[in-house]
Amino acid sequence: MTDERHPFDAAVALEPIGPGRWRGHTHPAYANMVGPFGGITAAALLQAVLLDAARQGEPVALTVNYAGPLADGGFEIAAEAVRTSRSTQHWTLRLEQAGAVAATASAVLATRRETWSAVEAGFPAAPPAATIERASTAGRPPWTRAYDMRFIKGAPRLAASPPPDADSLSLMWVRDEPPRALDFASLTALADSFFPRVFVRRASWVPIGTVSFSVYFHADSATLRANGAAPLLAQARAHQFRNGYFDQAGELWSERGELLAVTHQIVYFKE
């Protein structure tokens, strides 16, 4: 039987197996060099909260700590609302496979209210997405084909030329491929769609692995619905590479100049 769901929806699909417990399965469309793309794992963890009948409010923060490799196959997620107040709800999550913990996470949800608002970050100057050629995925892991990436600056350089970049700044238009309306789960995965900064600074392939990944959501569900399947303008850079680790900070903007989310992660790399 043909699965007519969007590959993303199939990848984050969860089956309830008990109170606060869910079963999922990795999806070949989001395979990485070893195991699945980290963004899809983070999205599945958030999905466990979004599907839970105890959920109150919308996501404002998610942090995922990758404890070990996730193999292709089934996994289970335990999700617990550890404290709920009038305006916020705090969750802890654990993803297990074959009796071992592969990831832990925390999520904060909130009931948003109208307040004074201001944006200090600047919307990056960029030509329209339609004017930029889609990046090739040849020779890259399968998960890259699940995204339409159009680089303005800072495409990954996995060959020995040209000379190294002076910084790790990347700017690109990105969306799900095939197109899919934006929601909190897909925004979470998109926040991890940046290539590791070391592949921008240095023209060499080295083993890497995200240790901890966070997303802070500025958009509410109405803003995400208004975006639909339109591409996002995504910008990322590192602050420092040192002693086998580097950080990565990113921003995701709508075409209309709305800051939807910011993201931070710390990544291990090996010389």
Side-chain angles (χ1 to χ4, degrees):
M1 183 181 227
T2 302
D3 189 343
E4 296 182 354
R5 293 175 295 181
H6 189 284
F8 181 86
D9 295 302
V12 299
L14 299 175
E15 171 194 2
I17 55 174
R21 294 197 66 85
W22 306 84
R23 181 182 292 120
H25 199 283
T26 60
H27 194 285
Y30 294 89
N32 204 348
M33 298 297 292
V34 177
F37 164 53
I40 205 70
T41 301
L45 283 158
L46 183 61
Q47 188 78 335
V49 175
L50 297 173
L51 292 174
D52 201 297
R55 173 176 71 92
Q56 293 185 23
E58 297 182 343
V60 294
L62 172 72
T63 294
V64 178
N65 299 311
Y66 298 93
L70 185 62
D72 293 336
F75 58 82
E76 294 185 6
I77 295 175
E80 180 184 6
V82 294
R83 183 156 184 169
T84 301
S85 68
R86 286 195 309 166
S87 59
T88 62
Q89 189 177 56
H90 297 255
W91 290 76
T92 61
L93 301 110
R94 187 175 67 254
L95 188 150
E96 300 175 347
Q97 187 179 60
V101 175
T104 61
S106 63
V108 180
L109 280 67
T111 301
R112 295 180 181 269
R113 297 177 175 86
E114 288 293 331
T115 64
W116 173 83
S117 301
V119 181
E120 293 197 2
F123 181 58
T131 66
I132 303 169
E133 184 178 356
R134 181 181 175 185
S136 171
T137 59
R140 293 179 178 168
W143 74 266
T144 61
R145 296 192 286 276
Y147 294 99
D148 181 322
M149 302 181 187
R150 299 170 187 248
F151 286 93
I152 301 155
K153 182 186 187 305
R157 300 179 312 101
L158 303 183
S161 61
D165 285 350
D167 61 45
S168 64
L169 181 68
S170 288
L171 183 63
M172 66 175 177
W173 289 103
V174 61
R175 63 162 174 78
D176 289 291
E177 178 59 38
R180 179 187 180 278
L182 190 64
D183 57 24
F184 285 111
S186 63
L187 180 58
T188 296
L190 282 159
D192 194 36
S193 64
F194 301 102
F195 283 87
R197 300 297 86 200
V198 70
F199 296 158
V200 178
R201 281 296 307 270
R202 304 181 67 187
S204 60
W205 182 273
V206 296
I208 64 96
T210 299
V211 177
S212 185
F213 165 69
S214 295
V215 186
Y216 304 109
F217 302 94
H218 289 296
D220 56 20
S221 56
T223 304
L224 299 185
R225 284 194 300 271
N227 186 85
L232 306 184
L233 186 60
Q235 178 172 267
R237 68 168 302 155
H239 294 97
Q240 181 165 266
F241 303 81
R242 186 172 186 270
N243 293 348
Y245 290 87
F246 63 88
D247 68 297
Q248 181 169 289
E251 303 167 359
L252 295 106
W253 300 78
S254 73
E255 286 183 317
R256 298 181 296 181
E258 300 159 308
L259 182 58
L260 303 180
V262 296
T263 178
H264 302 273
Q265 61 180 272
I266 189 79
V267 183
Y268 159 83
F269 72 97
K270 184 177 181 180
E271 289 286 316

